[in-house]
Structures are given as structure tokens and as C-alpha cells.
Amino acid sequence: MSRLLRTFVLACVLAGNLSGLAAEPVYIDLSDNESVRVGLRSEPVPISGYPTVISMAISTESMRLRAVDIGGDVRQWSVSPPKQEGVIVRLGEEPVCAAFSADAKWLASADAQGVVSVTDLEKGKAVFRDEGRTENTVVLEFSKDARRLGGVTSNGAVRVWEPQSGKLTARFEVTPGSVQSLSFSDDGE
């Protein structure tokens, strides 16, 4: 008796370029006296010829890899078996930073003018655009449950939104240039 334990997905990014993709189901074989054998059987599929990747995420629900490039195209690949499905959304702007929600259904991006927007990738449309800010956003990150989106500007402004509504829920200042990454605690706060 074999049971699917999980599927491992490997996506290789080399110098900002998506260069390989492999998906491997891992099975546990319990047929021989409850002994455990784990099997991996595939080689990465090379991917090339695409612009520099800013951010990527894997939807474990749909087994798809999504990546946004510097031109604002969001591409999607099936990971089992690996194959490109094409451009699913064109942002219409060149993002300077971007982040996917943990389930890869939402994409937050910021353009060179500081406009932060959230796109619902399942529907292919923008959920909100925060056009009232002109600061250069350098980092974006969703909470694990995607109920919060945080952004940090080069001027040291930290902002937190509710992505579904676009409501700004918090804003505070840190030392300019000191923040390189952003994350939320496990409870999303």
C-alpha cells in the first residue's frame, strides 16, 4: 500500500531568472512489513527566456507556481507535471517590489511612483490601489492568512493595510533605509 505523503516543489532562481522547475510526489510504501521507502523520480525542467523575477510563490492547493517579473507580467506554471501555462495577469506597471500571499492568490506590488496595489490573481483584477502615497516602497509582505499587508518605504514609513478593503490600519516610522525585510507574527499582527 502506498500513500502520498506530500509533493515537493523545487523552483530555482539564478540571478533573478527562473531557471528550473520540478515537482516530485513523495510516496511512502508500507507494503513490506510496514517498512518505509520514499521515492523521488524526476529531474528539474529547465525554464529560460523570461525577464528577471521579482517574486514567486507556489499554490499548494492548485499545484501552480506563479512569478512576477520586472515588466509586470505574472506567469503561471503547472508543477505536476511541470509546464508553463502562460501570462495570467499584466499589471500595467513595472513593479519595483512585489509579494504573493501564502496561497499565491493575491499579489501586492509597488511601482516606481510609490503606488501600492493588490491584485486578485484568480479574478485577474486589482482589488485596491493606494495612490495617495508618493514614497518609494521597497518591501511588501502579506501576513500568513492574507488579512494584512505590510509595506516599508525608503523613507522609513511602515504601513499596514487590510488587502480586501484597502483600508490603512497602521502607520509608523523607522530609521530610513534600515528595513530590508518585513514579516508578521504567526497570529497575523
Side-chain angles (χ1 to χ4, degrees):
M1 174 177 120
S2 291
R3 283 194 345 219
L4 178 64
L5 177 65
R6 66 177 49 172
T7 299
F8 287 95
V9 177
L10 170 68
C12 300
V13 175
L14 200 52
N17 294 304
L18 194 58
S19 61
L21 176 64
E24 184 60 56
V26 177
Y27 294 92
I28 295 183
D29 187 349
L30 299 173
S31 58
D32 294 337
N33 298 324
E34 299 291 318
S35 64
V36 176
R37 289 194 309 263
V38 177
L40 298 176
R41 294 179 287 281
S42 71
E43 294 293 320
V45 173
I47 299 171
S48 61
Y50 301 107
T52 303
V53 172
I54 294 175
S55 183
M56 68 180 186
I58 296 171
S59 167
T60 55
E61 189 178 294
S62 64
M63 292 307 296
R64 287 181 167 73
L65 170 81
R66 291 180 171 167
V68 60
D69 64 37
I70 59 172
D73 287 342
V74 181
R75 288 184 169 79
Q76 178 169 281
W77 288 264
S78 168
V79 295
S80 187
K83 78 173 183 152
Q84 183 186 3
E85 296 179 7
V87 174
I88 59 170
V89 171
R90 286 200 160 90
L91 297 178
E93 63 205 26
E94 293 182 357
V96 294
C97 67
F100 287 92
S101 60
D103 61 6
K105 292 180 180 179
W106 297 67
L107 173 67
S109 60
D111 66 17
Q113 287 72 45
V115 175
V116 173
S117 55
V118 173
T119 303
D120 181 331
L121 297 174
E122 302 296 309
K123 296 178 182 175
K125 65 179 187 175
V127 176
F128 91 86
R129 289 178 57 86
D130 186 5
E131 297 186 40
R133 312 292 188 262
T134 58
E135 301 134 342
N136 183 20
T137 301
V138 294
V139 176
L140 288 166
E141 186 67 38
F142 281 97
S143 61
K144 288 181 183 179
D145 62 5
R147 291 182 20 188
R148 302 275 184 270
L149 170 67
V152 182
T153 69
S154 58
N155 298 347
V158 178
R159 297 172 289 175
V160 179
W161 297 270
E162 291 176 353
Q164 297 85 350
S165 67
K167 179 182 175 187
L168 185 66
T169 60
R171 181 184 168 98
F172 55 93
E173 303 291 323
V174 296
T175 304
S178 64
V179 178
Q180 301 294 317
S181 66
L182 176 67
S183 65
F184 287 87
S185 63
D186 286 342
D187 64 4
E189 298 299 320

